[in-house]
Amino acid sequence: MSGIDVITFGCRLNTYESEVMRGAAEKAGLNNAILVNTCAVTGEAVRQARQAIRRARRENPHARIIVTGCAAQTEKQAFADMPEVDAVLGNEEKLKTASYRSLPDFGVSAEEKLRVNDIMSVRETAPQMIRLIEGHVRAFIQVQNGCDHRCTFCIIPYGRGNSRSVPMGAVVDQARKLAEGGYREIVLTGVDATSYGGDLPGTPTLGLLAKTLLKQVPEILRLRLSSIDSIEADGHLMDLIADEPRFMPHLHLSLQHGDDMILKRMKRRHSRADALRFIADVRRLRPETSFGADMIAGFPTETEEMFANAMSLAEEAGIAHLHVFPYSPREGTPAARMPQLDRALVKERAARLRATGLRLQTTHLDSMVGTQQWLLVENNGLAHTENFTLVAVPGLAPRAILQATITGHNGKHLTMQQTAA
């Protein structure tokens, strides 16, 4: 191979940062290199990254393989010990051109491979400017990084550090560049995006940032949030939901569970009632809003009754896009020291929760049939409605926006008949 290839795992923030990494490495003059941007949210994510690294080495025996991301930050020595790996960069180092200029040559010791500093010492998130995100029709912008909360199951704060926000002016500049580059939709991303602004002068909120973007960059046709913690939703955000048609009617919630005792043991800051109240408030303001949610099955100490509360919350809330994680103990987290459930039971509950999610998805798809929807066409013969439902649009050009009548669905995505461009 020649040039730079990037393999990305995990969240949309990683997708954005992978383009920053590519630009930094190219600016440094790196060539014949594979950058692996890892995720640490589950043990399975780490396993998949290690598998990808081995495969990349088999297929590219002479390339330089550089591993970074959250798993590299939290398990740096394990990756440095892999013979396939030439260098390990931390989450802060991966974004800097200087890191790629100073990479060690082949054949160095494991200690010299490591370029991973203490992420908890990082106090600011520098603005990162990119003009495109390869392979994507929607553009992502990092507005925040890190997390000040310590949910008992989560290793991510140790991979990302404490919460820090990108100044509002820098976010506006990045959005303007992306809109000028032809992106019709922008997604604001962060590790704990709704904590945005707490470390900035005047403590602006995520909702105020979104309002400012839409006002100052009128070329943005569709604005989304990647994931939010509903307990942190502010008044500006609720105003957008109610009154701003360019703010898309879809929210992905970090729910994690539906039982109050498990939520307390997870050290979450919301209750079951808080979640249901927020969803009801949003639907009252904008009835067409759809919801996605992350939920964990098989958390330590979870009884069958507690698990039933998780399933019933998803049903009562009408979650259209349910993202289920079987609980995965992460070394160094409090939950890993709690009484664990049998792995077979964890997998069985995750399968049941996913089955609930599929039923809810079908109900949501049924409700969309016969409606008029505006679609943004992606690269793969699919499009997204404003409320983030997939629609089959074979033969249509990427980035096109069109109006269509929804005619049916196949259980996974909608079908349509075009009515306007």
Side-chain angles (χ1 to χ4, degrees), residues 219-289:
E219 296 84 1
I220 298 173
L221 299 183
R222 294 161 57 130
L223 183 68
R224 292 191 193 278
L225 306 180
S226 62
S227 179
I228 69 167
D229 196 336
S230 61
I231 204 71
E232 294 179 315
D234 66 285
H236 292 292
L237 182 58
M238 302 308 282
D239 290 344
L240 286 170
I241 291 167
D243 301 325
E244 176 52 76
R246 292 188 294 155
F247 186 82
M248 295 295 95
H250 169 262
L251 295 172
H252 189 88
L253 307 179
S254 180
L255 291 183
Q256 308 305 347
H257 213 274
D259 181 83
D260 283 337
M261 180 56 71
I262 292 294
L263 288 167
K264 287 181 181 178
R265 289 173 180 166
M266 288 178 164
K267 209 174 177 181
R268 300 295 294 162
R269 292 169 299 138
H270 68 269
S271 66
R272 177 191 181 91
D274 291 331
L276 290 171
R277 186 181 309 112
F278 174 77
I279 290 168
D281 287 346
V282 170
R283 285 203 171 111
R284 176 177 51 80
L285 295 172
R286 200 162 181 189
E288 69 269 29
T289 302

Side-chain angles (χ1 to χ4, degrees), residues 315-390:
E315 292 171 342
E316 190 172 345
I319 302 298
H321 316 284
L322 192 60
H323 193 185
V324 176
F325 295 87
Y327 171 74
S328 175
R330 309 300 289 127
E331 186 178 351
T333 61
R337 300 190 294 272
M338 296 178 185
Q340 305 291 305
L341 301 189
D342 181 80
R343 292 308 300 170
L345 179 59
V346 172
K347 291 179 181 179
E348 186 268 340
R349 286 182 178 171
R352 288 162 59 194
L353 190 53
R354 288 191 183 106
T356 296
L358 287 174
R359 289 197 302 274
L360 292 169
Q361 181 184 32
T362 298
T363 299
H364 171 68
L365 293 173
D366 288 342
S367 73
M368 299 284 287
V369 175
T371 64
Q372 296 281 317
Q373 299 291 327
W374 284 99
L375 314 180
L376 173 62
V377 181
E378 309 277 347
N379 291 316
N380 52 3
L382 295 172
H384 276 104
T385 65
E386 292 183 337
N387 70 4
F388 206 62
T389 308
L390 280 171

